[in-house]
Amino acid sequence: MWREIGDWEAGKLRPNSFSNRNRIKSTRIQTLPLSKHKDIISPHRGSVNSLQLDLTEGRYLLSGASDASAAVFDVQRGTDYVGSGVITRHKCLFLVDKQHEHGHKFAVWYPVDTILFVTGSYDHHINVWDTNTTQVLMDFKMPGKVYRTAMSPLATSHMLIAAGTEDVQVRLCDITPCLATAVCPNIHRIRRLMHT
């Protein structure tokens, strides 16, 4: 095993061929039990392409699907109970549907608050959504298919979305103007976000 690690560190083995790592990962995945107490009731009619739990409360699950829908679930508070209350079902709080021509390839939370989330697709668009109104606040047109986006959970001096697109460039989209116009029950919350 140590020889394999040395070969991997020296570049003689490709990272994905490092057998011990793959074996450990495979064993861990096989031993993970499914929850017998929670059911997430999917409103999607296509495959789910992305899932992310919000980074602020760890309470809201965002899903994006190939049928061009995105949904948000409250994983702490169930909507229905079955089996004498043993199983908690979680239906979506809201669903946004058919906003991308080629389905959502990903959906990610705004890392500072659950006021916004971001979706992207092969239709060359990145959309920034307001969770209170379920409306698109900003639409960024990219020069090619959008494969992935990311936002830094640690950034304090910018509000940028990094996007990987088919034209091999990493694109940066600034959502600062979006925060200034977001519909929010507490305007002080937005001001606080803009100054952090």
Side-chain angles (χ1 to χ4, degrees), residues 22-51:
N22 290 336
R23 187 177 33 201
I24 291 169
K25 181 179 175 183
S26 176
T27 303
R28 284 183 183 168
I29 290 172
Q30 289 173 356
T31 60
L32 287 174
L34 291 176
S35 173
K36 294 180 173 92
H37 304 289
K38 286 186 178 278
D39 280 339
I40 304 293
I41 309 299
S42 176
H44 304 297
R45 293 174 303 284
S47 61
V48 175
N49 295 331
S50 65
L51 292 168

Side-chain angles (χ1 to χ4, degrees), residues 35-169:
S35 173
K36 294 180 173 92
H37 304 289
K38 286 186 178 278
D39 280 339
I40 304 293
I41 309 299
S42 176
H44 304 297
R45 293 174 303 284
S47 61
V48 175
N49 295 331
S50 65
L51 292 168
Q52 186 184 31
L53 203 57
D54 77 277
L55 302 172
T56 55
E57 297 179 58
R59 177 177 181 170
Y60 298 104
L61 178 68
L62 174 64
S63 64
S66 63
D67 66 353
S69 64
V72 173
F73 304 87
D74 183 343
V75 296
Q76 289 182 2
R77 183 174 293 154
T79 54
D80 191 16
Y81 300 92
V82 294
S84 301
V86 174
I87 299 173
T88 305
R89 288 191 173 163
H90 300 269
K91 294 180 182 173
C92 68
L93 299 175
F94 64 84
L95 174 75
V96 293
D97 205 11
K98 303 291 183 199
Q99 295 298 316
H100 285 286
E101 188 176 312
H102 299 289
H104 295 297
K105 299 305 175 199
F106 62 86
V108 295
W109 281 110
Y110 172 61
V112 180
D113 197 343
T114 55
I115 190 172
L116 303 174
F117 66 93
V118 178
T119 61
S121 176
Y122 286 175
D123 67 359
H124 305 204
H125 288 270
I126 295 173
N127 290 342
V128 179
W129 296 83
D130 181 340
T131 56
N132 293 316
T133 64
T134 65
Q135 299 297 314
V136 174
L137 293 176
M138 294 187 94
D139 179 7
F140 296 99
K141 173 79 168 123
M142 296 289 114
K145 293 177 183 176
V146 179
Y147 291 112
R148 190 72 175 108
T149 64
M151 293 183 76
S152 171
L154 305 174
T156 58
S157 61
H158 66 78
M159 295 295 158
L160 299 174
I161 301 169
T165 63
E166 76 177 330
D167 72 342
V168 304
Q169 299 294 321

